């Protein structure tokens, strides 16, 4: 009865305990505080502990003891049985072999299972009698297979490693049992842990005196190991790349590599202080288990609990699998205390501990800290005084470990920053890092963020940190390599600008690709946009959600200006010649804005020979043009000359010709320069000129800013030839630009590379000419081939002769500043007036309509009905929009001729007109006689052109000073010797 | 003798033997004199004034410039030509300047006299940039007579602000200014007034091989008289002034002469003014109509070029080499020391050798010639041996002075841990980094890191990637036949010569085009 009662009570208690175990309260606490995190021991701990009883480590004083316990507890490196088989040894001072090195690396990377699978596959592939299963030898083959897969071993090395008869291999082969060198270990470990390899600019490694001894192919890995502080040099400044590693050193390296390895294994390192240990008895299933609850105050202030279960009876009870009763398994942990591994029972209140937890909330390893307590702060440097070595530091918070990679970013992000600074002396032996390389105290700048370790009141370690941990998670930035909006992904280059080629030699990182589904919010250049507008070369920030899908995209362009001369302007592309002579073709689709002088221009205004500026984003092969700007004030070719070539003076950079003639109006006319004339070269002229030569030089010039003519085009032809000139329309021009045919002549003209072609004032290639253009040519017979070879072609496509018309009529009504009406009007067609007996209305506009009256300019505001009704006026208009209204008297006598000179103008020394010309002189004059219907030639004396005369030049209204001698003019005078009323230049 | 701290934190005293010191000082002063006499006279920012005029130095008279300006107060552009005298003095943080103009146009019977006094506060920021802000110290005087009409300045305001970003071998400036001037037309009460509002942007750079300043000025002119018609017009004036040089080859004619030809360096100043003015047309009575007339034109001022023959190296063994011209010029400019017979273009350059050449290409920015400092200027010659910035340099090393100079000016920073590694070969990536650092053009690269146009972009070390992209963008660097840059190959002497020559052309020509034409013509 009593026994039954006891059983019942214990059962009840057990039930209560088991039911309430997860949330049981800590008794004897003053205020019941719930632990924020609860950990348990591991099931394997007891076995691991037994295996950790290394005979060689126990007695040794090696610095790596702690590392050995830790790597053992975490099962990264295991020992083996001693020769006698009874004790275990670690093999502290044994050198690490190559196969062991690979094994260590892969286990540390958490790929043990993968290796075992590979090993099994390898073994199954062997012949039945060659199989190694289940010896340890088989398992180590798995790591070698993985190493081959990852590119760490070559095929030859792999073949050597799998040779059954290892003793037959020589020093030339790959010996898997040989000791691994430090550089090779760095290579394997670095490769397996995927540590970024720095090509090859080493910053840390070449400060070691023996760095040249290392195999250059291993140098990047060694650099990575050094920068990650996994490997170090010895005290004499040597790295010893060809030296061997002991297993103790390997264990220490694994401990150094914690920040890299722990995330791969799913482990977290925590620090805290044991507040107390509670013992309870658990009588589940009739077996007594001691439950040890260790209360730990974590360094972030929260309470953690570690629950260890130790069965009192040494033997676990058998279990009836049919009934499925709960089983008591021991859960313990390995504790390193005073350099010895022990079970969890040694934990006691007051101990400072570091404990490693895994994703199952189990703690395989705890280390009790001894020695002077260290305080580690994350904060900001306020001031450093190199003379006194004092540093004033503003700590943001105290952190458990001095390595930023071991900290939880979320907790860093959510901390509150204090305002109290601390001041300590930096010890002389302190390790100071402002980058990968150790520095002196004066390298520390104020306002940098850093982790400092304070020990015994002095700062013993300083490491600058990049606090993008304080930055938002899930935001990536980079340059767009590709954006495919229809498939919904964007690929960035890597942060350091690499990622153009992805290949085996690229290491283990690839381009970064993120996908997105519509709709996402996109901004480009601070404006709302759509994903299609983000183009390669843009700098972009992507906001990602938990699954690395893009939520938000914000981009900025990276346009660069491209300057060039248009060679071909198509509807969707433009071919340019760049200033350095290269030719490129860029896509310029129809919608791209074309601007001139800040105003929108028509796409058709971009012509061959124009200088333009493109704003383009060029990223590899992709070119995106955003804008085209035409040159504001292009300086055109102003004249074409020919003359007898005298010389070229390279010192003064001038060409001298004699007997200069100008090609004007389709004819060669002598200029005002008599004898020899020097023409300086323009800066843009890139050709070479012979210092001496004979023949006729054809020269195209443009006026520079000082008004001086400078040579921009040149060709030298043999002398003593008869030049033929043509003033005609282009009938056809061959595609390659070598032949040209004119409408008015049957002669075929041949162009060659020397032909000067001036089209609308721009020097172009002959291929720019197209049919129906008006062209004036000068050609000479080539003595070698007998063909008519062109020397100069001047063409102008601007032919607005039809746009403006001259009318005359009597004013019937005027609405000031708006319009006026003529009762009947006459229109000048060619040289005749056609009369129309109907009214016509013209509109006037203040800014564009000129009123000429009384021999000069008048004011349109005074153009009122009262003042002007009944007067006869000339009107120069485009349709019904009037440009000029003049009250000059009627003129119907028509005179045609060639302009010889403009008279009466006064210019200042800078070429600016002080007084406009008052008249002009015409040669080869012919007057139309209405009596005989014939043109009668006449010698003409100078004609006065008063201020109220109407002037048209090339279809636009003009000022008298714009006329160029040599042009054909038509004058309307009232009688033979009178003033000109209308002057027209075609 | 100076006490200085080496990079390792150890304090060191350096002393030369006495003989060496006096001899060195003499040499310094001689060299300085030679440099002053042969240097082309520089035009630096502000020598054109802020009235929209252009100037070139007058070599005969100190502080005087030949000057040309277009005035629009009459409603028509009138060009005036003459001189401007600029005197500046500098005290700590404050620069005072006086601009005295004397201009005339004989045919138009126009004369202009003007005196402006500016006070400029100069502030140096932590990152080395200088900001300047200018105001008028007192009301300026200006009298303009055109024909029979006299325009007298009755009130004026002016402000200017600019930023100077000093890089190791180029100083870049950008700024703006705005002003308002009111003139009284004629004398007496109730006279009409003409107001000229100006706002301008200034871009300039100063360096040894060329300097350019460009201004884009917008002017608004308005005329008002009580009871009469008021008219207004606008003008856009773009001015730019450059000091430039170029190098041309002259072959010698006699065949029996010891050298077959050499380069001549030509230096000259030029200024270009282009304007476009839109004003109402005036009728025959001189009254403004509503019809707007646009007049555009260009003016220029240049100085006579000064020619200097460059040293002729003996590089017969390189005849036909693709870098022959570059090597010849670099020897002539004494960028590469020596006389040429031992030049092996395929040899790799050590870091010290390259830095020694680079220092002669990336020379320090010449100081403003108009400024007479009231505090004694520090001697510019560096005393070698006082500060050794790298632990692996010591007295007596070849090119020590050049390395120290380069380090002082922050053109080189070494390979880490205070090591310079002078005898190691320099890689191509490092060369580009040094060049872009000296030119200060790192900001042209895209953020965060530019992607260069070469096929082996990924092999370029991260620290050099921006510099390589910028070098490709400014046109001094091209890919080889495979589209590669080969960043980690060592730089050969021939490649370095070609690159330095292109950089000299960039600094001497391309920058001028960029500041002059590209900013104003589009």
């Amino acid at each position: 009865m009593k026994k039954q009662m006891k059983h019942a009570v214990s059962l009840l208690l057990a039930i209560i305990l088991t039911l309430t175990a997860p949330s049981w309260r800590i008794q004897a606490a003053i205020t019941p505080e719930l632990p924020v995190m609860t950990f348990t021991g591991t099931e394997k701990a007891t076995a691991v502990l037994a295996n950790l009883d290394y005979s060689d480590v126990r007695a040794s004083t090696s610095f790596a003891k702690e590392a050995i316990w830790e790597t053992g507890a975490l099962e990264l490196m295991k020992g083996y049985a001693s020769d006698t088989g009874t004790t275990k040894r670690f093999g502290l001072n044994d050198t690490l072999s190559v196969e062991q090195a690979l094994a260590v690396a892969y286990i540390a990377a958490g790929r043990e299972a993968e290796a075992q699978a590979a090993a099994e596959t390898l073994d199954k592939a062997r012949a039945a009698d060659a199989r190694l299963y289940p010896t340890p030898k088989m398992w180590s083959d798995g790591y070698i297979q993985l190493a081959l897969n990852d590119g760490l071993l070559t095929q030859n090395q792999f073949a050597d490693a799998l040779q059954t008869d290892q003793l037959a291999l020589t020093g030339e082969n790959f010996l898997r049992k040989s000791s691994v060198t430090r550089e090779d270990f760095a290579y394997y470990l670095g490769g397996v842990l995927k540590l970024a390899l720095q090509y090859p600019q080493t910053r840390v490694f070449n400060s070691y005196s023996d760095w040249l001894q290392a195999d250059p192919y291993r140098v990047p890995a060694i650099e990575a190991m050094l920068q990650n502080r996994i490997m170090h040099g010895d005290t004499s400044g040597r790295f010893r790349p060809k030296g061997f590693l002991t297993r103790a050193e390997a264990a220490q390296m694994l401990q150094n590599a914690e920040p890299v390895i722990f995330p791969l294994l799913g482990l977290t390192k925590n620090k805290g202080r044991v507040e107390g240990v509670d013992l309870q008895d658990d009588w589940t299933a009739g077996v007594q288990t001691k439950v040890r609850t260790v209360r730990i105050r974590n360094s972030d202030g929260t309470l953690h609990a570690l629950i260890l279960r130790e069965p009192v009876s040494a033997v676990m009870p058998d279990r009836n699998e049919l009934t499925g009763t709960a089983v008591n398994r021991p859960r313990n942990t390995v504790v390193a205390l005073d350099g010895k591994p022990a079970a969890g029972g040694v934990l006691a209140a007051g101990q400072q501990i570091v404990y490693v937890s895994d994703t199952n909330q189990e703690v395989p390893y705890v280390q009790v800290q001894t020695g002077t307590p260290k305080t580690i702060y994350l904060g900001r440097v306020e001031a450093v005084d190199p003379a006194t070595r004092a540093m004033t530091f503003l700590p943001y918070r105290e952190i458990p470990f001095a390595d930023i990679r071991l900290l939880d970013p979320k907790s860093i992000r959510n901390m509150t920053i204090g305002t109290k600074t601390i001041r300590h002396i930096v010890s002389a032996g302190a390790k100071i890092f402002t980058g990968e390389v150790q520095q002196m105290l004066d390298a520390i700048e104020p306002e940098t963020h850093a982790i400092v370790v304070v020990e015994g009141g002095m700062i013993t370690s300083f490491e600058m940190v990049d606090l993008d941990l304080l930055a938002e998670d899930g935001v990536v930035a980079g340059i767009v390599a590709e954006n495919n909006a229809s498939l919904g992904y964007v690929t960035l280059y890597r942060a350091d600008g690499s990622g153009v080629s992805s290949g085996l030699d690229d290491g283990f990182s690839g381009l970064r690709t993120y996908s997105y589904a519509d709709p996402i919010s996109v901004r480009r250049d601070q404006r709302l946009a759509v994903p299609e507008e983000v183009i390669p070369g843009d700098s972009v920030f992507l906001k990602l959600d938990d699954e690395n899908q893009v939520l938000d995209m914000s981009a900025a362009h990276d346009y660069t200006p491209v300057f060039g001369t248009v060679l071909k302007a198509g509807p969707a592309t433009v071919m340019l010649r760049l200033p350095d002579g290269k030719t490129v073709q860029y896509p310029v689709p129809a919608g791209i804005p074309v601007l001139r002088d800040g105003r929108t221009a028509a796409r058709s205004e971009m012509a061959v020979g124009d200088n333009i500026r493109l704003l383009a984003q060029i990223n590899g092969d992709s070119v995106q043009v955003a804008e085209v700007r035409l040159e504001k004030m292009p300086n055109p070719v102003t004249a074409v000359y020919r003359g007898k070539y005298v010389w070229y003076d390279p010192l003064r950079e001038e060409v001298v010709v004699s007997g200069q003639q100008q090609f004007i109006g389709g004819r060669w006319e002598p200029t005002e320069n008599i004898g020899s004339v020097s023409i300086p070269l323009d800066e843009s002229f890139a050709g070479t000129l012979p210092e001496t030569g004979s023949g006729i030089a054809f020269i195209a010039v443009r006026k520079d800013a000082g008004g001086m003519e400078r040579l921009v085009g040149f060709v030298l032809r043999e002398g003593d030839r008869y030049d033929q000139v043509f003033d005609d329309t282009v009938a056809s021009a061959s595609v390659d630009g070598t032949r040209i045919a004119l409408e008015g002549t049957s002669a075929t003209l041949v162009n060659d590379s020397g032909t000067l072609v001036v089209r609308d004032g721009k020097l172009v290639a002959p291929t720019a000419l197209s049919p129906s253009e008006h062209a004036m040519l000068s050609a000479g017979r080539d003595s070698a081939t007998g063909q008519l070879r062109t020397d100069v072609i001047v063409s102008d496509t601007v032919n607005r002769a039809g746009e403006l018309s001259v009318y005359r009529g009597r004013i019937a009504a005027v609405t000031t500043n708006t319009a006026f009406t003529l009762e009947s009007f006459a229109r000048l067609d060619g040289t005749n007036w056609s009369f129309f007996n109907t009214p016509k209305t013209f509109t006037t506009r203040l800014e564009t309509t000129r009123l000429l009256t009384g021999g000069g300019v008048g004011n349109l505001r005074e153009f009122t009905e009262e003042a002007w009704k009944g007067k006869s006026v000339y009107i120069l208009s485009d349709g019904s929009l009037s440009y000029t209204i003049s009250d000059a008297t009627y003129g119907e006598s028509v005179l045609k001729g060639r302009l010889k000179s403009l008279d009466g103008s006064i210019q200042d020394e800078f070429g600016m007109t002080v007084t406009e010309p008052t008249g002009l002189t015409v040669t080869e004059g012919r007057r139309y006689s209405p009596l005989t219907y014939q043109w009668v030639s006449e010698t003409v004396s100078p004609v006065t052109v008063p201020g109220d005369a109407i002037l048209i030049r090339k279809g636009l209204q003009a000022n008298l000073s714009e006329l160029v001698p040599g042009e054909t003019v038509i004058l309307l005078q009232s009688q033979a010797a009178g003033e000109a009323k209308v002057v027209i230049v075609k | 003798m100076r006490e200085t701290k080496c990079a390792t934190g150890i304090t060191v005293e350096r002393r030369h033997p006495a003989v060496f010191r006096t001899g060195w000082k003499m040499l310094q002063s001689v060299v300085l004199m030679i440099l002053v006499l042969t240097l082309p006279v520089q035009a630096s920012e502000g020598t054109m004034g802020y009235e929209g005029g252009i100037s070139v130095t007058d070599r005969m008279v100190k502080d005087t410039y030949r000057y040309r300006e277009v005035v629009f107060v009459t409603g028509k552009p009138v060009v005036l030509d003459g001189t401007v005298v600029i005197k500046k003095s500098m005290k700590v943080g404050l620069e005072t300047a006086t601009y005295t103009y004397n201009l005339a146009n004989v045919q138009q019977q126009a004369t202009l006299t003007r005196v402006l006094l500016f006070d400029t506060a100069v502030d140096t920021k932590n990152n080395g940039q200088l900001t300047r802000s200018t105001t008028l110290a007192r009301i300026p005087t200006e009298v303009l007579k055109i024909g029979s009409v006299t325009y007298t300045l009755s009130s004026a305001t002016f402000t200017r602000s600019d930023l100077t970003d000093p890089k190791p071998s180029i100083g870049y400036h950008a700024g703006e200014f705005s002003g308002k001037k009111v003139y009284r037309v004629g004398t007496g009460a109730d006279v009409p007034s003409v107001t000229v509002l100006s706002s301008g942007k200034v871009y300039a750079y100063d360096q040894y091989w060329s300097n350019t300043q460009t201004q884009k000025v917008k002017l608004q002119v308005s005329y008002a008289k009580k009871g009469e018609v008021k008219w207004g017009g606008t003008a856009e004036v773009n001015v730019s002034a450059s000091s430039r040089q170029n190098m041309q080859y002259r072959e010698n004619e006699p065949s029996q002469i010891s050298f077959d030809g050499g380069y001549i360096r030509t230096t000259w100043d030029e200024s270009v003014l282009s304007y476009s003015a839109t004003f109402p047309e005036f009728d025959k009575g001189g009254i403004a109509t509503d019809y707007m007339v646009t007049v555009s034109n260009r003016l220029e001022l240049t100085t006579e070029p000064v020619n200097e023959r460059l040293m002729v190296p003996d590089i017969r063994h390189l005849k036909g080499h693709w870098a022959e011209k570059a090597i010849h010029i670099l020897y002539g400019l004494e960028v590469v020391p020596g006389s040429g017979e031992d030049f092996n273009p395929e040899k790799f350059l050590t870091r010290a050798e390259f830095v020694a050449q680079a220092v002669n290409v990336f020379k320090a920015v010449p100081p403003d010639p108009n400024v007479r400092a009231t505090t004694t200027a520090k001697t510019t010659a560096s005393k070698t041996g006082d500060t050794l910035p790298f632990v692996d340099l010591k007295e007596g090393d070849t090119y020590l002075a050049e390395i120290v100079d380069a380090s002082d000016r922050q053109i080189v920073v070494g390979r880490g841990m205070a090591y310079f590694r002078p005898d190691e070969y320099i890689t191509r990536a490092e060369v580009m980094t040094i060049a872009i650092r000296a030119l200060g053009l790192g900001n042209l690269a895209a953020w965060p890191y530019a992607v260069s146009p070469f096929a082996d972009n990924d092999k370029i070390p991260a620290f050099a990637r921006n510099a390589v992209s910028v070098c490709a963008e400014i046109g001094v660097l091209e890919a080889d036949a495979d589209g590669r840059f080969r960043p980690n190959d060592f730089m050969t002497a021939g490649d370095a010569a070609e690159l330095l020559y292109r950089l000299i052309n960039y600094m001497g020509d391309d920058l001028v085009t960029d500041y002059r034409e590209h900013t104003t013509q589009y």
Side-chain angles (χ1 to χ4, degrees), chain A residues 491-765:
Chain A
T491 305
L492 304 180
Y493 290 110
R494 275 177 252 148
D496 63 356
S498 59
V500 164
S501 53
S502 51
L504 286 175
D505 58 344
D506 235 357
F508 301 93
S509 34
L511 297 177
R512 303 189 280 164
T513 304
Y514 303 93
S515 51
Y516 54 91
D518 263 341
I520 56 170
S521 112
V522 179
R523 296 183 77 85
R524 186 164 188 266
D525 297 333
Q526 311 295 326
R527 278 179 5 255
L528 288 177
V530 290
E532 286 79 9
E533 290 181 49
V534 176
I535 54 178
D538 281 353
S539 297
V540 72
F541 280 81
L542 302 174
K543 216 182 197 138
L544 306 173
D545 65 10
D546 296 326
E547 284 132 43
N548 274 4
Q549 290 250 346
V550 179
L551 292 171
D552 208 295
M553 210 190 279
S554 175
H557 68 247
D558 182 34
Y559 294 127
T560 41
V562 177
F563 298 90
T565 312
V566 177
L567 292 177
K568 234 190 240 175
T573 59
V574 171
M575 193 187 292
L576 284 185
R577 188 181 53 237
L578 302 179
D580 57 9
K582 283 208 285 262
T583 308
V584 289
Q585 185 153 341
Y586 289 144
V588 185
I592 300 292
V594 177
L595 304 168
R596 169 177 268 142
D597 201 8
R599 285 179 276 268
T600 321
R603 178 69 179 258
S604 52
E605 280 186 52
M606 177 168 44
V608 175
D610 276 344
N611 288 332
I612 62 171
R613 180 189 94 155
L614 296 175
L615 269 189
Q617 188 156 313
I618 302 174
N619 186 271
D621 291 329
S622 114
V623 176
Q624 300 267 359
V625 175
E627 182 190 271
V628 177
R629 270 179 199 255
L630 307 175
E631 204 178 6
K632 254 199 293 211
M633 281 198 282
N635 36 347
V637 171
T638 44
V640 179
Y641 297 115
R642 76 172 177 192
K644 187 153 172 298
Y645 190 67
V646 179
W647 67 51
Y648 167 61
D649 181 346
L651 208 56
R652 305 187 73 86
E653 288 188 330
E654 283 177 354
V655 165
V656 178
V657 297
S658 72
Q660 186 192 40
Q661 291 177 324
Q662 184 177 0
F663 191 56
I664 185 128
R667 301 209 305 228
W668 290 104
E669 302 280 355
T671 64
E672 54 186 15
N673 296 313
I674 298 175
S676 56
V677 169
S678 69
I679 301 174
L681 296 192
D682 190 72
E683 247 179 41
S684 63
F685 182 70
T688 44
L689 298 172
E691 269 192 53
T692 51
S694 72
I696 306 290
F698 292 85
I699 296 170
V701 298
R702 79 158 54 118
K703 277 212 171 101
D704 70 4
M708 170 166 285
E709 288 182 329
R710 288 188 177 266
L711 187 151
V712 286
F714 178 88
V715 66
L716 186 62
R717 302 287 202 211
E718 63 224 5
D720 291 334
R721 10 158 322 150
Y722 172 62
D723 284 338
Q724 277 182 272
V725 294
F726 303 90
D727 184 348
D728 210 326
T729 313
V730 178
S732 71
S734 69
V735 170
D736 58 2
T738 50
R739 307 182 95 82
I740 183 167
L742 301 171
E743 279 179 7
T745 169
S746 58
T748 327
L749 299 146
V750 170
N751 305 321
D752 71 357
S753 57
T755 307
L756 294 174
V757 183
V758 178
R759 183 171 182 268
D760 293 335
K762 295 176 274 230
L763 268 183
V764 296

Side-chain angles (χ1 to χ4, degrees), chain A residues 206 437 479 496-497 499-501 505 539 563 631-632 635 650-651 653 683 705 850 853 857 861 908, chain B residues 105 236 244 248 250 281 283-284 289-290 298-299 417 421 447 449 457-459 465 518 520-521:
Chain A
N206 55 5
V437 182
I479 300 198
D496 63 356
V500 164
S501 53
D505 58 344
S539 297
F563 298 90
E631 204 178 6
K632 254 199 293 211
N635 36 347
L651 208 56
E653 288 188 330
E683 247 179 41
R850 273 173 113 193
T853 171
V857 178
R861 294 191 187 194
D908 66 10
Chain B
N105 179 327
E236 206 181 301
R244 309 172 58 178
Q248 277 203 326
R250 300 273 170 268
E281 189 174 31
D283 68 15
K284 50 191 191 293
T289 66
D290 296 276
R298 295 170 76 199
L299 306 168
M417 281 216 66
R421 310 271 179 217
W447 195 95
Y449 266 103
N457 171 70
D458 295 351
K459 294 210 166 42
R465 199 169 276 114
H518 293 169
T520 55
Q521 274 183 11

Side-chain angles (χ1 to χ4, degrees), chain B residues 190-431:
Chain B
D190 275 349
V191 287
S193 68
V194 176
T195 308
V196 179
L197 298 171
S198 64
S199 74
K201 289 200 247 222
V202 182
Y203 305 102
Y205 70 87
D206 261 323
Q207 37 112 341
Y208 174 81
W209 300 99
S210 72
N211 56 54
T212 303
Q213 24 168 340
T214 303
Q215 292 180 5
K216 291 164 67 140
V217 188
K218 285 189 160 59
L219 295 169
Q220 287 181 54
V221 179
S222 58
Y223 170 100
K225 179 175 174 173
K226 273 210 279 266
E228 241 183 59
V229 145
K230 287 196 272 210
W231 58 259
T234 57
E236 206 181 301
V237 180
N238 292 333
V239 294
S240 101
S242 307
S243 287
R244 309 172 58 178
Q245 48 183 284
N246 80 358
M247 270 129 345
Q248 277 203 326
Y249 189 68
R250 300 273 170 268
E251 266 186 19
N252 289 334
E253 275 156 58
S255 50
Q256 306 196 22
I257 184 169
S258 66
F259 54 103
D260 32 281
Y263 280 90
I264 297 190
R265 172 160 66 173
T266 313
T267 46
W268 75 100
D269 292 354
E270 64 186 15
S271 299
V272 177
L273 186 160
S274 66
Y275 69 87
S276 169
T278 307
F279 279 87
E281 189 174 31
F282 291 89
D283 68 15
K284 50 191 191 293
I287 311 289
T289 66
D290 296 276
Y291 183 74
M292 302 296 275
V293 175
T294 304
V295 177
S296 331
N297 211 338
R298 295 170 76 199
L299 306 168
E300 190 183 69
L301 280 177
T302 51
T303 57
E304 266 298 303
V306 171
N307 288 334
E308 177 202 337
R309 260 218 175 245
L310 299 180
M311 189 269 260
V312 178
D314 181 8
I315 50 169
R316 285 163 297 151
H317 60 289
L318 296 177
K319 216 175 185 67
H321 192 275
W322 45 269
E324 184 187 351
K325 176 176 179 183
I327 296 167
H328 194 140
I329 290 182
L330 291 187
Y331 270 106
L333 294 170
E334 291 173 55
V335 168
V336 179
S339 57
E341 307 96 8
D342 53 355
F343 189 87
N344 175 4
E346 307 316 322
K347 174 179 90 106
F348 292 140
L349 281 182
T350 64
R351 287 170 57 80
E353 286 169 354
F354 178 74
V355 170
Q357 292 180 18
V359 158
N360 286 324
V361 170
F362 299 115
K363 295 193 201 258
V365 180
D368 186 344
N370 299 121
V371 172
R372 228 169 281 115
T374 49
T375 52
T376 39
K378 290 197 294 208
T379 50
T380 49
S382 67
K383 300 194 184 96
T384 59
D386 286 331
T387 313
L388 281 188
F390 300 106
V391 301
D392 54 353
L393 298 177
K394 56 184 192 306
E395 283 293 331
D397 277 352
T398 38
Y399 307 127
L400 177 68
E402 287 87 343
I403 299 172
V404 170
D405 182 34
S407 166
D408 285 344
R409 289 166 50 207
Q410 297 176 326
I411 295 177
V412 294
V413 297
R415 274 213 182 143
M417 281 216 66
Y419 279 89
F420 182 73
R421 310 271 179 217
D423 299 320
E424 285 178 9
Y425 293 128
I426 194 165
T427 65
R428 290 165 61 82
E430 289 176 331
V431 165

Side-chain angles (χ1 to χ4, degrees), chain B residues 109-201:
Chain B
Q109 299 163 325
T111 58
L112 172 67
T113 53
R114 181 197 285 146
V115 178
L116 296 163
L117 261 86
F118 294 116
D119 271 343
T120 307
V122 182
D123 185 22
T124 312
K125 306 287 176 199
N126 287 341
N127 58 3
Q129 290 178 343
L130 273 111
T131 54
R132 268 190 279 246
S133 108
T134 305
T135 49
L136 290 169
R138 46 162 203 269
I139 298 180
T141 52
E142 181 173 335
V143 175
L144 167 62
K145 282 201 195 53
I146 300 188
S148 54
V149 187
T150 307
Y151 298 82
T152 320
L153 188 69
S154 64
S155 78
T157 59
F158 178 81
T159 76
R160 175 191 86 122
S161 71
D162 84 0
L163 178 80
T164 303
D165 193 10
K167 296 294 180 190
S169 58
I170 305 187
Y172 295 102
H173 312 273
E176 31 301 293
F177 62 87
S178 76
K180 174 175 166 177
K181 286 194 197 168
V182 180
Y183 298 85
R184 289 158 39 125
V185 185
T187 49
D190 275 349
V191 287
S193 68
V194 176
T195 308
V196 179
L197 298 171
S198 64
S199 74
K201 289 200 247 222

Side-chain angles (χ1 to χ4, degrees), chain A residues 777-794:
Chain A
L777 301 90
S778 168
R781 212 157 280 281
D782 183 353
S783 61
T785 60
Q787 287 176 315
L788 208 53
R789 186 182 54 187
T790 55
D791 302 314
V792 175
I793 306 178
V794 177

Side-chain angles (χ1 to χ4, degrees), chain A residues 120-174:
Chain A
E120 284 176 358
T121 317
L122 262 180
D123 200 51
K124 287 206 180 77
R126 293 192 182 108
D129 51 354
R131 296 226 176 106
L132 299 171
Y133 180 83
T135 60
K137 193 149 175 269
M138 169 193 143
W139 301 116
S140 57
D141 285 349
Y143 299 107
I144 295 186
Q145 176 71 55
L146 288 189
L148 173 72
N149 295 349
D150 287 340
L152 296 174
L153 293 181
T154 64
Q155 282 286 2
N156 284 342
Q157 289 173 322
F158 181 67
D160 286 345
L162 287 192
Q163 275 252 35
T164 33
D165 187 4
Q166 287 283 309
L167 293 173
L169 298 172
T170 64
E172 302 288 302
N173 302 99
F174 178 73

